Amino acid sequence: MIETERLLLRPLRVDDVEVFVALHQDERVNRFVGAFSHQQALERLSSVEQQWAERGHGLCAVELKSTGEFIGRVGLNYWEQFNEVELGWTLKAETWGRGYATEAARACLDWGFATLDEAYFISMIRPGNTASVHVAERLGFTPLREDTLFGNPVTVYSLEKPNSA
């Protein structure tokens, strides 16, 4: 469990299927990350649990400390086809503009650099997703390359591990 001033981050589980599906049903949210049927969500969450078990990291549920409400997901996802670990975030549209994405992503990023043996993390952002570009830039990410994910063009941003002296 990762804790910030306002948020709790914990590994996503198959038990989160209902809130996961609801998050992705909102067209404001899914226009850049896609929607999930109940079965697709179960399969995705099962693979998240497997990644936590095998790699020691994965996607997290983001919950408000004040209420326990699920407001989205953030985490480190290994993409085999790129052999890279991506920091990603998706939050409920009603929570946008409050700094939650940056707060959750920064906590996850700090945890990842402290815990995992990765020289850098990437973040793949679809064209037009200016809010996510702003989050990535606030975190220190810079454009690395153009690529394709699930048939969609993405700009791959990267952030190298800070030097620890």
Side-chain angles (χ1 to χ4, degrees), residues 36-81:
F36 288 84
S37 69
H38 187 84
Q39 184 58 41
Q40 288 169 325
L42 284 174
E43 291 168 7
R44 179 68 177 118
L45 292 170
S46 178
S47 72
V48 168
E49 286 185 348
Q50 182 177 353
Q51 190 170 134
W52 272 104
E54 292 176 358
R55 297 186 60 85
H57 66 82
L59 298 179
C60 296
V62 179
E63 299 172 344
L64 293 176
K65 280 170 71 170
S66 59
T67 64
E69 176 190 1
F70 173 92
I71 63 165
R73 63 177 178 87
V74 66
L76 297 168
N77 184 67
Y78 175 70
W79 291 100
E80 189 172 351
Q81 67 264 44

Side-chain angles (χ1 to χ4, degrees), residues 2 8 22 25 50 61 85 95 99 120 126 149-150 155 161 164:
I2 301 170
L8 291 175
Q25 282 179 335
Q50 182 177 353
V85 177
T95 67
Y120 68 98
R126 299 229 339 239
L149 181 66
F150 301 125
T155 300
K161 185 175 188 166
S164 51

Side-chain angles (χ1 to χ4, degrees), residues 21-146:
V21 169
L23 170 67
H24 290 271
Q25 282 179 335
D26 186 323
E27 290 181 6
R28 296 168 294 177
V29 172
N30 73 30
R31 70 184 250 214
F32 295 116
V33 295
F36 288 84
S37 69
H38 187 84
Q39 184 58 41
Q40 288 169 325
L42 284 174
E43 291 168 7
R44 179 68 177 118
L45 292 170
S46 178
S47 72
V48 168
E49 286 185 348
Q50 182 177 353
Q51 190 170 134
W52 272 104
E54 292 176 358
R55 297 186 60 85
H57 66 82
L59 298 179
C60 296
V62 179
E63 299 172 344
L64 293 176
K65 280 170 71 170
S66 59
T67 64
E69 176 190 1
F70 173 92
I71 63 165
R73 63 177 178 87
V74 66
L76 297 168
N77 184 67
Y78 175 70
W79 291 100
E80 189 172 351
Q81 67 264 44
F82 303 112
N83 192 30
E84 293 174 309
V85 177
E86 178 193 24
L87 173 66
W89 51 87
T90 303
L91 275 72
K92 287 182 176 181
E94 308 83 68
T95 67
W96 294 353
R98 299 181 191 169
Y100 293 138
T102 302
E103 183 176 333
R106 179 164 314 285
C108 195
L109 186 65
D110 291 348
W111 177 87
F113 278 134
T115 307
L116 306 175
D117 186 24
E118 297 291 334
Y120 68 98
F121 293 114
I122 62 165
S123 191
M124 293 182 271
I125 302 175
R126 299 229 339 239
N129 191 348
T130 55
S132 279
V133 169
H134 291 141
V135 171
E137 289 173 344
R138 279 193 291 276
L139 296 169
F141 281 78
T142 56
L144 176 66
R145 68 177 186 271
E146 300 298 316

Side-chain angles (χ1 to χ4, degrees), residues 3-21:
E3 189 172 335
T4 71
E5 181 181 335
R6 302 178 294 168
L7 306 171
L8 291 175
L9 283 61
R10 59 155 179 85
L12 268 173
R13 304 179 300 257
V14 170
D15 295 351
D16 294 312
V17 66
E18 299 305 329
V19 292
F20 188 84
V21 169

